[in-house]
């Protein structure tokens, strides 16, 4: 239709202005409307005009999406995103949810070959998805801070065979495959008991772009705890993270995927004068997550997929099944437009996007 075609052109031209206004407008919101805004951040944002093309290390240079470009790369930022869940990485598996370093490597290589690019759970939950145009975000998550996830060797590098060493190796082999992941830890991160080595481990991870965040103090079933105990479990771990030099958590994973009652306790609250306010609470899950821009996205209960082959209970619901499913249903998958400031979608999916994101939408 003529009207909509010229309208699209006008919208395309107006996009830069609109998004800039939206970003600046957002930065001017009172801080209580922006979870986790600290006074220092507010001052920093207000002091400068939003730079849309800032490119942090390891991230693709920004592009400015247009409807034509979005159509060319089949962008669909209303699509599904796999958030993969790993537990122990052991050469000899002891439980069905364990994976071997070789199984981890094979899964990561397959993801790289299929066009996935890792982002952290924090980037996903906050909608800060920086993935090149035409590629698909994947979130790699490791629960319980097990020693098999990360350790430093004598020369201060990730110890061979740990999850981080495997991920770094895969990233070297596939340069577009960004080595980032989220580690949800408890009171003894990576099996370390002294503060000094805990802090050194966590510092290496944070310095290299990994996210280290909250999986509660000692991994209780939150569903059966009293409200105050739930808050205490979360705050104690927040305080440990702070002592270890980690920025305040924006995400948490529920131990056993078990939701406290009421559900809201997991996302925001305070105990003994310390507040927490997460952008995302993650389940143990059984399916890909909705896009964080989707109207139906529930940041208080984000789905994950257990990494596993297609056996037994995992005949369905685990990673091999779902990654094959997404490959067979490319129209259902999140495809990036390469432009973190805009949300590109086929016109027919416009109704699926959260109304609050309306100004960012490019429909084609
Ligand atoms: Zn756990």
């Amino acid at each position: 239709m003529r009207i909509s075609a010229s309208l699209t052109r006008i919208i395309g031209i107006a996009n830069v202005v609109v998004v800039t206004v939206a970003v600046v407008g957002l930065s001017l919101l009172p801080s209580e409307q922006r979870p986790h805004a600290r006074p220092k951040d507010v001052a920093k944002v207000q002091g400068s005009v939003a730079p849309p093309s800032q490119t942090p290390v390891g991230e693709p240079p920004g592009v400015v999406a247009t409807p034509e470009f979005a159509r060319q790369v089949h962008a669909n930022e209303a699509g599904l995103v796999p958030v993969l869940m790993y537990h122990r990485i052991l050469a000899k598996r002891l439980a069905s949810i364990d994976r071997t370093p070789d199984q981890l490597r094979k899964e990561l290589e397959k993801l790289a070959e299929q066009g996935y690019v890792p982002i952290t759970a924090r980037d996903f939950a906050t909608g800060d998805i920086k993935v090149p145009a035409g590629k698909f975000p994947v979130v790699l998550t490791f629960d319980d801070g097990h020693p098999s996830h990360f350790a430093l060797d004598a020369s201060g590098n990730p110890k061979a065979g740990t999850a981080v060493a495997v991920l770094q190796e895969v990233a070297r082999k596939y340069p577009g495959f960004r080595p980032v992941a989220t580690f949800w830890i408890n009171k003894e991160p990576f099996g370390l008991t002294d503060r000094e080595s805990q802090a050194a481990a966590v510092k290496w991870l944070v310095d290299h772009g990994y996210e280290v965040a909250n999986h509660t103090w000692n991994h209780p079933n939150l569903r059966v705890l009293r409200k105050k105990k739930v808050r205490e479990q979360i705050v104690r771990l927040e305080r440990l993270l702070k002592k270890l030099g980690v920025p305040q958590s924006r995400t948490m994973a529920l131990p056993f995927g078990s939701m406290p009652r009421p559900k809201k306790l997991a996302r925001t609250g305070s105990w003994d004068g310390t507040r927490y306010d997460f952008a995302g609470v993650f389940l143990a899950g059984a399916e890909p997550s909705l896009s964080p821009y989707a109207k139906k996205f529930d940041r208080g209960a984000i789905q994950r997929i257990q990494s596993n082959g297609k056996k037994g209970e995992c005949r369905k619901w685990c990673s091999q099944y779902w990654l094959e499913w997404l490959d067979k249903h490319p129209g259902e998958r999140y495809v990036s437009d390469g432009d973190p400031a805009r949300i590109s979608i086929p016109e027919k999916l416009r109704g699926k996007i959260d109304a609050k994101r309306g100004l960012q939408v490019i429909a084609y």
Side-chain angles (χ1 to χ4, degrees):
M1 235 180 356
R2 266 213 87 70
I3 294 173
S4 72
S6 56
L7 194 61
T8 307
R9 253 194 313 275
I10 293 165
I11 291 169
I13 295 161
N15 254 325
V16 177
V17 178
V18 168
V19 171
T20 306
V21 169
V23 170
V24 173
L26 188 66
S27 75
L28 297 175
L29 275 179
S31 60
E32 65 271 23
Q33 289 179 34
R34 294 193 298 134
H36 283 278
R38 279 159 294 171
K40 209 173 68 193
D41 296 338
V42 175
K44 207 164 60 196
V45 175
Q46 284 174 344
S48 62
V49 179
S53 61
Q54 222 174 38
T55 307
V57 178
E59 284 165 3
V63 299
V64 177
T66 62
E68 294 70 28
F69 182 73
R71 186 195 306 275
Q72 265 172 37
V73 300
H74 307 290
N76 175 10
E77 300 188 322
L80 300 172
V81 177
V83 180
L84 301 186
M85 173 179 71
Y86 299 91
H87 286 86
R88 295 179 298 193
I89 305 297
L90 302 175
K92 231 183 153 64
R93 294 168 72 200
L94 300 172
S96 67
I97 57 169
D98 297 336
R99 305 295 277 156
T100 68
D102 199 43
Q103 287 171 330
L104 173 64
R105 183 189 315 276
K106 286 203 173 106
E107 184 155 80
L108 297 178
E109 290 188 346
K110 186 132 202 203
L111 288 167
E113 282 160 10
Q114 289 181 333
Y116 285 95
V117 176
I119 59 171
T120 63
R122 174 188 56 225
D123 293 345
F124 177 69
T126 58
D128 186 19
I129 301 182
K130 298 193 184 81
V131 166
K135 301 279 191 179
F136 328 122
V138 61
V139 186
L140 308 172
T141 69
F142 294 82
D143 288 21
D144 309 337
H146 192 260
S148 63
H149 296 164
F150 184 61
L152 289 167
D153 65 16
S155 47
N157 294 313
K159 191 175 151 197
T162 59
V164 172
V166 172
L167 178 50
Q168 297 284 128
E169 283 157 28
V170 173
R172 275 195 291 277
K173 190 168 163 190
Y174 298 86
F177 197 73
R178 190 185 305 145
V180 297
T182 293
F183 295 93
W184 280 306
I185 63 164
N186 308 112
K187 64 182 174 185
E188 286 181 3
F190 312 112
L192 302 166
T193 50
D194 66 294
R195 283 281 179 276
E196 205 179 316
S197 41
Q198 289 174 349
V202 160
K203 181 175 177 4
W204 191 98
L205 290 169
V206 172
D207 285 352
H208 287 79
Y210 290 84
E211 178 186 17
V212 182
N214 200 317
H215 195 38
T216 74
W217 181 247
N218 58 11
H219 207 281
N221 177 356
L222 298 182
R223 177 170 285 273
V224 301
L225 290 194
R226 302 161 69 101
K227 288 184 196 174
K228 200 176 156 193
K229 285 283 171 196
V230 171
R231 296 187 187 111
E232 178 181 347
Q233 278 289 328
I234 296 170
V235 167
R236 279 192 186 279
L237 207 275
E238 275 310 295
R239 287 181 179 172
L240 170 63
L241 288 167
K242 192 173 179 191
K243 273 187 207 144
L244 299 178
V246 181
Q248 190 172 15
S249 294
R250 303 303 321 276
T251 66
M252 75 94 72
L254 296 164
F256 313 108
S258 178
M259 192 64 86
R261 286 184 257 206
K263 178 181 163 187
K264 194 174 178 290
L265 280 179
R267 198 155 94 73
T268 62
S270 71
W271 175 79
D272 188 32
T274 303
R275 272 195 69 72
Y276 57 93
D277 185 359
F278 301 120
V281 173
F282 289 74
L283 299 168
E287 57 188 58
S289 172
L290 294 178
S291 159
Y293 313 128
K295 208 177 270 177
K296 289 189 177 159
F297 176 70
D298 179 358
R299 65 181 60 262
I302 301 173
Q303 288 285 355
R304 290 193 288 164
I305 301 167
Q306 184 198 132
S307 169
N308 222 321
K310 279 203 293 192
K311 278 185 194 153
E313 277 186 344
C314 283
R315 198 171 45 80
K316 261 185 139 185
W317 318 127
C318 296
S319 61
Q320 190 187 341
Y321 170 83
W322 277 116
L323 293 173
E324 286 173 8
W325 187 93
L326 287 166
D327 221 41
K328 281 185 206 128
H329 300 80
E332 302 290 329
R333 182 161 53 189
Y334 186 113
V335 183
S336 175
D337 63 0
D339 180 347
R342 294 170 189 76
I343 299 170
S344 295
I345 48 166
E347 179 64 51
K348 64 175 188 230
L349 299 180
R350 192 188 275 276
K352 297 216 183 258
I353 298 292
D354 186 344
K356 288 198 290 291
R357 298 278 186 177
L359 287 176
Q360 290 172 271
V361 170
I362 293 183
Y364 62 90

